[in-house]
Amino acid sequence: MSWKEIYESRVMTAEEALKKIPADSRVFFAHSMSEPTYLVDYMCDHKEWFTNVEICHLGSSGKHRYCNEEGMEGHLRHNSFFVSGLSRKAVSEGRADFTPAFFHELPRLIREKVIPVDALLLTVTPPDKNGKVSLGLSCDYTKECVKSAPLVIAQVNDQWPFAMGGAVIDVSEIDCFIPHNAPIPELQPGPLTEVELGIGKNCAALVEDGDTIQLGIGSIPDAVCASLTDKKDLGVHTELMCDGVMNLVKAGVITNAKKKIDPGVCTAAFIMGTRKMYDFVDHNPLINMQPVDYTNHPVTIAKLDHIVSINSAVQVDFQGQVCSESIGLTQISATGGQVDFVRGAAMADHGKAIIAMPSTVNGKISKIVPLLDEGATVTTCRCDVDYVITEYGIAHLKGKTLKQRSKALIEIAHPKFKPELITAFEERYHYKYE
């Protein structure tokens, strides 16, 4: 059969496709913006079709109806690898589940059936003249799910960007095509505060011309990008790519010319941003989408000379232990790719790993603390931590004693909280803070 015959024979309605999902199965959704919201809503509207179906993903752009609406019990249950604001209440109340994992490990866990997948729901572009479709904004674990899942159901959306690299697959790899065009959810950047701009400036001070950078999304990465405009020949190898990267590419700051692997292209596992970003990605050979077991694997990252990794945190304690995913016992996010990049950067020649955060929560709570909150998760352990940055400065912790670490962190804490931190320091170490 030609690719057109294969494609046309597999086009069907949402009802026809979704009724193929067996009872007592595990269904993965593509990550974040790539979640096929039309199909997800259809599932929730017809929950009676499903019996004990577990829904897994690492983040959603939808409304999480499958874990927040009443009456889903016995039909659809959510198991996330990243707890977002949409699912925190359900997880804390036991109506949904959370599974910890390093992001780079997910494809292997799926492939080796540690976490077997029975079906995948995703969004793809319409096929091109060669019978290829693109996964668009999410390659990460989605690519492995396409290979491993016995049933692959795709919403075909003509507004989807045709991303290049590992995101391109053949129509024969998909079992069901449901055409439904819809706008892609967007994340609009907000105005930057003085605190965020200060953090961005301090992070940029550690970035040298020719470095390769890894950033996430949000106000701090936006502030970092805004502070990098005077740099030259930067590269990008990242888990998540956003508008700030696009702006630096257009400005000629990011050229990827000096990267040791994947020279000339920005490598990423998934994309979140605005319509401008999605249009920029479309058929752009400068964008190299790859699975997360490539982008985030510490061994891959270690091959990048002069990699600078920038991630965020909820708290950092005197030892340098970083909590980035919980408030006490309450899970609010996940490890994601933070440890992947921290460890990869540590193994790379001239690598730097930065934990960047405001010094306080709205000026009321210090994020630098003598001890992490009771029950808080240690995301990045003290031996892995390299640099910690706030709006007040840079603390370099590698190779420092516990007293030296504590003092360095107190020096970048908010002045309002320094007296109590100094008191805790002196009581803990029996040593005068000077």
Side-chain angles (χ1 to χ4, degrees):
M1 295 174 67
S2 69
W3 74 258
K4 289 184 179 180
E5 291 172 318
I6 293 172
Y7 177 75
E8 290 170 2
S9 70
R10 298 180 184 182
V11 172
M12 61 189 73
T13 66
E15 179 175 353
E16 290 171 325
L18 295 174
K19 282 189 171 179
K20 294 178 182 289
I21 296 174
D24 304 308
S25 60
R26 176 181 285 127
V27 178
F28 266 75
F29 290 169
H31 185 206
S32 196
M33 301 308 180
S34 294
E35 183 181 84
T37 52
Y38 169 66
L39 297 180
V40 174
D41 283 340
Y42 214 99
M43 287 183 74
C44 294
D45 288 341
H46 300 280
K47 61 181 182 292
E48 67 277 4
W49 294 348
F50 309 100
T51 302
N52 296 325
V53 170
E54 181 184 70
I55 294 171
C56 296
H57 61 62
L58 200 89
S60 169
S61 61
K63 301 174 183 178
H64 275 21
R65 291 175 57 194
Y66 38 87
C67 69
N68 288 325
E69 279 190 2
E70 293 184 5
M72 293 295 175
E73 297 84 359
H75 300 289
L76 303 173
R77 183 175 177 88
H78 184 211
N79 176 12
S80 180
F81 296 91
F82 190 99
V83 179
S84 71
L86 295 169
S87 58
R88 287 170 193 161
K89 189 171 186 291
V91 170
S92 65
E93 293 177 354
R95 293 182 289 106
D97 297 305
F98 167 68
T99 301
F102 294 126
F103 199 3
H104 86 272
E105 286 188 319
L106 266 184
R108 181 176 62 83
L109 296 175
I110 292 166
R111 182 167 57 251
E112 296 180 356
K113 300 189 184 303
V114 176
I115 304 174
V117 53
D118 299 301
L120 168 69
L121 270 62
L122 74 163
T123 308
V124 298
T125 64
D128 67 8
K129 63 181 181 180
N130 298 312
K132 306 295 183 182
V133 297
S134 176
L135 304 176
L137 305 176
S138 172
C139 193
D140 44 53
Y141 60 81
T142 309
K143 184 72 172 283
E144 184 57 47
C145 284
V146 169
K147 298 176 182 177
S148 297
L151 177 63
V152 180
I153 301 173
Q155 177 180 329
V156 184
N157 189 347
D158 67 3
Q159 297 192 38
W160 216 242
F162 199 105
M164 308 298 283
V168 180
I169 63 173
D170 195 82
V171 295
S172 63
E173 298 181 72
I174 295 174
D175 302 294
C176 309
F177 293 96
I178 299 89
H180 184 87
N181 302 323
I184 310 171
E186 298 181 56
L187 282 179
Q188 298 289 347
L192 298 174
T193 66
E194 289 300 316
V195 168
E196 291 156 353
L197 289 169
I199 295 168
K201 182 179 179 181
N202 287 335
C203 290
L206 294 179
V207 179
E208 303 174 9
D209 291 346
D211 281 354
T212 297
I213 57 173
Q214 174 259 322
L215 294 162
I217 195 166
S219 56
I220 290 178
D222 288 344
V224 173
C225 288
S227 300
L228 292 175
T229 54
D230 62 339
K231 306 294 181 180
K232 298 177 182 178
D233 285 326
L234 296 184
V236 171
H237 182 103
T238 189
E239 167 187 313
L240 165 59
M241 192 159 55
C242 60
D243 284 59
V245 170
M246 170 190 68
N247 296 335
L248 290 174
V249 172
K250 289 182 175 181
V253 174
I254 292 174
T255 65
N256 296 292
K258 298 189 177 182
K259 287 170 65 179
K260 295 297 183 182
I261 59 172
D262 302 331
V265 296
C266 296
T267 298
F270 70 100
I271 293 169
M272 299 173 74
T274 65
R275 183 71 240 186
K276 287 183 179 179
M277 181 63 179
Y278 305 151
D279 291 340
F280 177 74
V281 169
D282 188 45
H283 287 94
N284 189 340
L286 297 178
I287 307 302
N288 175 36
M289 297 293 287
Q290 292 296 332
V292 74
D293 53 353
Y294 175 79
T295 61
N296 284 40
H297 201 295
V299 172
T300 305
I301 298 163
K303 297 175 182 177
L304 290 156
D305 191 14
H306 290 277
I307 173 83
V308 180
S309 164
I310 303 173
N311 290 281
S312 62
V314 175
Q315 284 183 320
V316 179
D317 74 6
F318 276 0
Q319 298 184 71
Q321 295 182 126
V322 175
C323 171
S324 300
E325 58 187 285
S326 72
I327 299 175
L329 287 169
T330 303
Q331 192 75 34
I332 62 168
S333 57
T335 301
Q338 180 174 124
V339 179
D340 297 342
F341 275 91
V342 167
R343 290 181 174 169
M347 292 189 287
D349 288 342
H350 314 291
K352 298 171 186 172
I354 297 169
I355 300 296
M357 63 181 189
S359 63
T360 70
V361 180
N362 299 322
K364 298 178 180 178
I365 303 171
S366 178
K367 299 186 77 166
I368 292 172
V369 293
L371 297 170
L372 297 181
D373 289 347
E374 183 178 0
T377 302
V378 177
T379 305
T380 301
C381 78
R382 62 186 184 177
C383 296
D384 283 323
V385 174
D386 192 6
Y387 292 90
V388 177
I389 287 178
T390 71
E391 69 272 27
Y392 290 102
I394 302 169
H396 191 198
L397 303 189
K398 281 279 188 180
K400 300 293 194 300
T401 67
L402 289 178
K403 287 196 291 288
Q404 290 171 333
R405 285 166 174 255
S406 301
K407 187 174 181 180
L409 289 166
I410 291 170
E411 289 174 356
I412 65 168
H414 193 287
K416 174 181 176 180
F417 297 100
K418 279 190 175 181
E420 62 190 71
L421 293 172
I422 290 171
T423 298
F425 173 93
E426 292 180 342
E427 290 177 352
R428 180 167 180 170
Y429 297 114
H430 308 288
Y431 186 84
K432 183 67 175 176
Y433 182 94
E434 294 177 343

